[in-house]
Amino acid sequence: MKLLVAVKRVIDYNVKVRVKADRSDVDLANVKMALNPFCEIAVEEAVRLKEQGVASEVVVVSIGGKACQEQLRTALALGADRAIQVEAPDSPDALSVARILAKIAETEQPGLILLGKQAIDSDNNQTGQMLAALLNRPQATFASEVKVEGEHLLVTREVDGGLQTLKLTLPAVVTTDLRLNEPRYASLPNIMKAKKKPLEVKTAEDLGVTVGSKIRLLGVEPPAERSAGIKVGSVAELVEKLRNEAKVIA
Amino acid sequence: MSILVLAEHDNQSLKPVTLSVIAAAKAIGADVTLLVAGHQCGEVAEQAAQVVGVQKVLLADAPAYAHQLAENVSQLLLEQAQGCSHVLAAATTTGKNVLPRVAALLGVNQVSDVLAIEAPNRFKRAIYAGNAIAQVESDESVQVLTIRGTAFDPVAATGNSATIERVDSVFESADVSFSHEALAKSDRPELTAASIVVSGGRGLGNGENFDMLYKVADKLGAAVGASRAAVDAGYVPNDMQVGQTGKLVAPELYIAVGISGAIQHLAGMKDSKVIVAINKDEEAPIFQVADYGLVADLFEAVPELEASL
């Protein structure tokens, strides 16, 4: 079975994001970029399925400018076999991304498609679900455990009330949550090997997809800042303040 | 304009978050139809009909909808959304699972996790884990929105008597089925709906020590949450996680115990009205957002707090 993993280049999760002075967008000049953490978990899960002998090949795909090849190389260093970069303008909307991925899936015919549940920049949490809809295949979002059983997939999902397990017929789309696995670190020899793995470049036009941006960003603002309050010296003082000053407890 | 809202429920009762989604729909300003899809969920439809601001309740009652499977519910929504200007659901794990599928079937983008309605096609939403608030305008023909419940004051749960209409369409995918679930059972209020939340972090040291927090919570009628660090360490289950990737809460009072205050945790609770932090490290970032900070050993302070309530 072939696995397809979609990955996104985003700001490194350790970087504190700042709004530009003119409030047109956030400031991404000269900030460290990285593989989206949820995508990294998806790559790790695919590589584990290959190591278990469940999968035969792991193909990673990313959509964006040439810079995203860096993240594809990271995924190859983690154990993916080959990569596809789909050249597209920056910030394509989620539906365009899903349409491009659907075209790739039609060509590659993967048994399972893995994606992160959301990217930590746009926080949209929708591409995987959209892809599943376009392919008319079942989905399991927010996965914390994935088991392949023949033609089926048992996926445990993190839902608001606890955990829910679904049984899907392959091919299927899975989006990863944080506790699915702990991604490995790429070793130096694997980073070197990754440079020689195949990386194919396509364009959105090649795939017949017109990239849209129907959701226009009008501007951004910093979130309302909370200022630090006071330090209290004792539990008794705390309770007194909560009762009589803040009036939030009886 | 007309708005279709997906009701959030457990086949027995309507979840309070739906009242906030209706409030968002009212802010858009159009007739609201509330879709209750489930199994043996007639009681939910009765409750839905009483919600102020709802013009009509649609009840789709079939085994295929019992577990809110995205494949089935999205097809039902697609059918019922014909002619609607907006389709809304709560930005819960249910809404987030189902609604993008509806958007793709409609051939439109979704605007996720909406915090404010500026105009029928202009919205505010948080990006970068809440480090920036984006104002976006959608050029789509239908607006598909998930709504952040804590950002909208709920409408009244009773006082209305909308008509209930049955929907007979049953969409059932053969490629997916519900296997089983492990849902947390608790007598405490639900995390996202509680007016007081007591949360614990890695400072608690282990799961047993959360008992201290449960005792405080029970005296306050509070829900208990946790930081991602505490969940990742296995102290408590995932459904207790408060943060960017967990639950977003905005109670009247949030008490953070042994939580350092990582950005992703703050993103989930900084809209709380009053924040209390108890931490032995006075440099912990949580103190920068706390209204009342207590630098103390939690193992002494928490039992003392419980005793004084």
Side-chain angles (χ1 to χ4, degrees), chain B residues 219-276:
Chain B
K219 284 211 168 165
L220 292 170
V224 178
S227 70
R228 179 179 154 192
V231 175
D232 282 353
Y235 301 170
V236 290
N238 68 283
D239 54 282
M240 286 173 62
Q241 185 185 328
V242 172
Q244 176 202 2
T245 58
K247 286 181 181 152
L248 300 165
V249 301
E252 294 288 303
L253 172 62
Y254 188 89
I255 305 178
V257 180
I259 290 176
S260 64
I263 288 175
Q264 85 90 30
H265 184 75
L266 300 184
M269 46 62 83
K270 66 183 169 54
D271 293 329
S272 305
K273 191 161 159 249
V274 175
I275 296 175
V276 170

Side-chain angles (χ1 to χ4, degrees), chain A residues 95 121-124 129 139 141 160-161 163 165 167 169 179 214 216 218-219 221 226 229-230 232 245, chain B residues 71 96-97 109 112 125 128-129 133 135 137 139 175 177 179-180 182 184 241 247 270 272 290-293:
Chain A
L95 184 62
D121 50 2
S122 53
D123 283 335
N124 270 324
Q129 296 89 315
Q139 71 186 42
T141 50
D160 286 338
L163 298 170
T165 303
K167 186 178 184 186
T169 307
R179 281 164 284 274
K214 288 286 190 80
R216 283 180 294 121
L218 300 180
E221 57 194 71
R226 269 194 97 98
I230 57 162
V232 291
E245 193 175 273
Chain B
E71 295 75 2
K96 289 192 269 195
N97 188 41
N109 280 281
S112 304
R125 59 180 302 264
Y128 293 91
I133 308 297
Q135 190 183 39
E137 190 164 88
D139 296 332
D175 291 326
S177 59
S179 171
H180 57 276
Q241 185 185 328
K247 286 181 181 152
K270 66 183 169 54
S272 305
D291 299 287
Y292 302 105

Side-chain angles (χ1 to χ4, degrees), chain A residues 8-73:
Chain A
K8 186 176 183 185
R9 173 185 171 88
V10 298
I11 191 168
D12 185 275
Y13 78 100
N14 287 310
V15 176
K16 170 110 172 105
V17 179
R18 286 180 204 291
V19 171
K20 279 186 190 169
D22 68 0
R23 300 202 165 186
S24 60
D25 203 343
V26 297
D27 194 354
L28 293 182
N30 303 315
V31 301
K32 190 180 173 207
M33 303 296 279
L35 189 56
N36 178 44
F38 292 100
C39 301
E40 197 175 351
I41 291 170
V43 172
E44 174 68 31
E45 195 65 18
V47 172
R48 288 187 191 188
L49 288 169
K50 191 186 169 192
E51 287 169 348
Q52 290 160 21
V54 174
S56 51
E57 189 187 24
V58 177
V59 181
V60 284
V61 55
S62 191
I63 295 155
K66 191 164 194 280
C68 74
Q69 289 189 7
E70 196 186 325
Q71 279 61 49
L72 287 169
R73 292 290 174 199

Side-chain angles (χ1 to χ4, degrees), chain A residues 95 214-215, chain B residues 1-2 81 83-87 103 105-109 120-121 138-144:
Chain A
L95 184 62
K214 288 286 190 80
I215 308 290
Chain B
M1 291 200 303
S2 62
C84 288
S85 58
H86 295 73
V87 183
L105 295 172
L106 288 166
V108 301
N109 280 281
N121 69 333
S138 165
D139 296 332
E140 299 289 9
S141 53
V142 183
Q143 308 304 333
V144 178

Side-chain angles (χ1 to χ4, degrees), chain A residues 138-177:
Chain A
Q139 71 186 42
T141 50
F142 328 139
S144 66
E145 195 183 359
V146 173
K147 270 192 282 189
V148 177
E149 293 186 346
E151 296 301 299
H152 294 99
L153 195 65
L154 272 177
V155 183
T156 301
R157 308 175 55 229
E158 295 199 0
V159 295
D160 286 338
L163 298 170
Q164 179 195 60
T165 303
L166 299 180
K167 186 178 184 186
L168 314 180
T169 307
L170 295 169
V173 176
V174 168
T175 75
T176 62
D177 216 319

